[in-house]
Amino acid sequence: AVKSDCNNTGLTQGSHCSVCGKVLTAQNKVPVSEHSFTKKISDKAHLATQASYTVPATYYLSCDVCDAISKDKTYTGATLSLGITGKIVSTSSNDSITLSWNKVADATGYAVFYKNTSGKWQTYKYLTANTLKMTKLPSGRLYEFAVRAYVTERGKTVFSPSFATHKEATRPLPPGKVVAVQNENAIQLNWTASAGATNYQVFYYNTVQKKWIVIGYAVKGCKHTIYNLKPGVAFTFAVRPYINTGAKNVHSSSYTSISTCTKPIVPILKSTPLKGAVRLNWDKVSGADGYVIYGSSSPNSGYVKLAITSGLTYTKNGLVSGRTYYFKAYSYKRTPAGVVYSYAGPVKTVTTR
């Protein structure tokens, strides 16, 4: 006899003569038996026909002999549930953002959404990987993202009931230029705005420690003043923008620097009247690289540059004897960004002999 099963017919037991082979009892076909639908299917390929988070999910049964799937034999299982993608991790450059998140068991894939300028969620992309790199983005732009796991069940897409959101920004570009306005004890830095930047960091370079030191962290606007400085001292400053996302600061990948100095102090002129000439002298100004002397025959106008010198004395010849002349001086210091002059010194009045 051959036993039938749910895929194959069987045969009843028969007999034949062992000498001549004549069939004594013929075999008859046994029809195919019914499937034994007792095996629960739990793999994703046979999930519920009606996947839902509000009603229990219906799963198919399979035959425990041949694994055929039933057409009408089902059982009710737990509600289909996809987990949340969890915390989103991100990195960025000037023109790209990379997102990554935890894999969700049983998920077919993930939908990435972003908020548009009107604050509404829009679909960015569907993907099966748990990482996404977006390129060719504008620099200095803040984005808000959401990642939601989904499962595709018999043509129907079902999303996880909740999702994680995350803010990230492309790195802002550094300011195009930084300029300095100096006085003897302070320097005001001004710079061009960096698109998208919410704040700026201001640094100065410590030549002793050979490193950058933050002197202004959450600077708003495009200027910052450093006070309590000594006259005629050189400094190197740098400005770096960043965007505050609420959870972290996204800094520019570089900065814009400027080397400048405070104004040197004013040189105080002393004078010696000579016949048809005037000899001027002054004390050395700390930090100054040189001095500029101006003169005029009028106390309030008409001053012309007479000399640029690194010395501490100057004689003006070719003057008219017995006439009064007026002189003033500036000290100066050279920097990579240009020459920084002191304020004008007091006018020195001298009558020639």
Side-chain angles (χ1 to χ4, degrees):
V2 178
K3 186 177 181 181
S4 65
D5 59 30
C6 48
N7 281 325
N8 303 291
T9 58
L11 292 170
T12 59
Q13 187 172 344
S15 63
H16 62 271
C17 176
S18 61
V19 177
C20 66
K22 181 181 179 180
V23 175
L24 302 177
T25 305
Q27 288 182 297
N28 296 315
K29 282 187 178 182
V30 178
V32 174
S33 62
E34 292 187 0
H35 291 292
S36 177
F37 290 119
T38 59
K39 186 178 178 181
K40 293 182 178 180
I41 299 295
S42 58
D43 59 294
K44 195 175 71 174
H46 306 293
L47 287 175
T49 54
Q50 186 182 4
S52 171
Y53 293 100
T54 57
V55 297
T58 301
Y59 291 81
Y60 293 103
L61 291 171
S62 69
C63 178
D64 59 6
V65 176
C66 67
D67 290 330
I69 300 170
S70 68
K71 298 290 186 181
D72 54 2
K73 299 291 185 180
T74 60
Y75 73 97
T76 301
T79 301
L80 178 63
S81 180
L82 287 175
I84 192 171
T85 51
K87 183 179 179 181
I88 299 172
V89 178
S90 62
T91 58
S92 66
S93 69
N94 291 344
D95 62 356
S96 69
I97 291 176
T98 301
L99 304 175
S100 60
W101 54 89
N102 297 329
K103 289 184 177 181
V104 175
D106 294 328
T108 302
Y110 308 91
V112 179
F113 304 86
Y114 72 97
K115 273 191 178 178
N116 61 20
T117 54
S118 62
K120 295 182 178 180
W121 289 108
Q122 285 188 240
T123 304
Y124 179 80
K125 192 172 186 179
Y126 284 79
L127 68 164
T128 56
N130 63 322
T131 184
L132 171 65
K133 183 174 183 178
M134 292 156 281
T135 59
K136 298 182 180 180
L137 302 176
S139 60
R141 182 75 61 85
L142 178 63
Y143 296 89
E144 185 172 6
F145 300 98
V147 179
R148 199 171 185 183
Y150 69 89
V151 63
T152 301
E153 202 311 347
R154 295 187 175 271
K156 182 177 180 181
T157 298
V158 182
F159 289 98
S160 62
S162 57
F163 53 90
T165 62
H166 183 75
K167 289 183 179 180
E168 180 59 278
T170 48
R171 293 181 181 273
L173 297 176
K177 187 177 182 181
V178 178
V179 296
V181 179
Q182 308 91 346
N183 67 33
E184 293 178 351
N185 301 109
I187 294 175
Q188 179 180 292
L189 302 176
N190 302 280
W191 55 87
T192 54
S194 178
T198 57
N199 302 87
Y200 298 85
Q201 286 179 309
V202 179
F203 302 80
Y204 94 96
Y205 188 74
N206 187 308
T207 55
V208 176
Q209 300 179 26
K210 298 188 182 303
K211 67 178 183 179
W212 291 101
I213 307 295
V214 179
I215 56 175
Y217 191 77
V219 178
K220 290 187 176 294
C222 295
K223 65 180 180 180
H224 183 69
T225 303
I226 304 95
Y227 297 97
N228 301 319
L229 303 177
K230 292 182 179 180
V233 178
F235 297 92
T236 299
F237 300 101
V239 178
R240 186 185 189 190
Y242 67 89
I243 297 173
N244 183 280
T245 68
K248 67 175 183 178
N249 295 325
V250 179
H251 296 89
S252 169
S253 56
S254 59
Y255 52 82
T256 303
S257 63
I258 182 173
S259 294
T260 185
C261 69
T262 47
K263 284 182 179 291
I265 62 173
V266 173
I268 306 300
L269 293 178
K270 303 170 188 177
S271 64
T272 302
L274 303 173
K275 188 174 180 62
V278 172
R279 184 168 63 242
L280 301 170
N281 66 286
W282 54 90
D283 294 332
K284 181 177 176 60
V285 173
S286 177
D289 293 321
Y291 310 89
V292 184
I293 310 301
Y294 287 81
S296 175
S297 57
S298 173
N300 299 316
S301 63
Y303 284 89
V304 295
K305 186 186 297 182
L306 302 177
I308 300 175
T309 178
S310 58
L312 300 176
T313 184
Y314 168 73
T315 299
K316 173 59 179 173
N317 296 304
L319 303 178
V320 178
S321 296
R323 179 175 290 186
T324 300
Y325 294 90
Y326 305 90
F327 302 92
K328 59 184 177 179
Y330 297 81
S331 60
Y332 69 84
K333 187 175 181 68
R334 298 184 188 91
T335 77
V339 177
V340 177
Y341 294 92
S342 71
Y343 294 112
V347 174
K348 186 68 176 177
T349 304
V350 187
T351 302
T352 57
R353 288 166 50 194

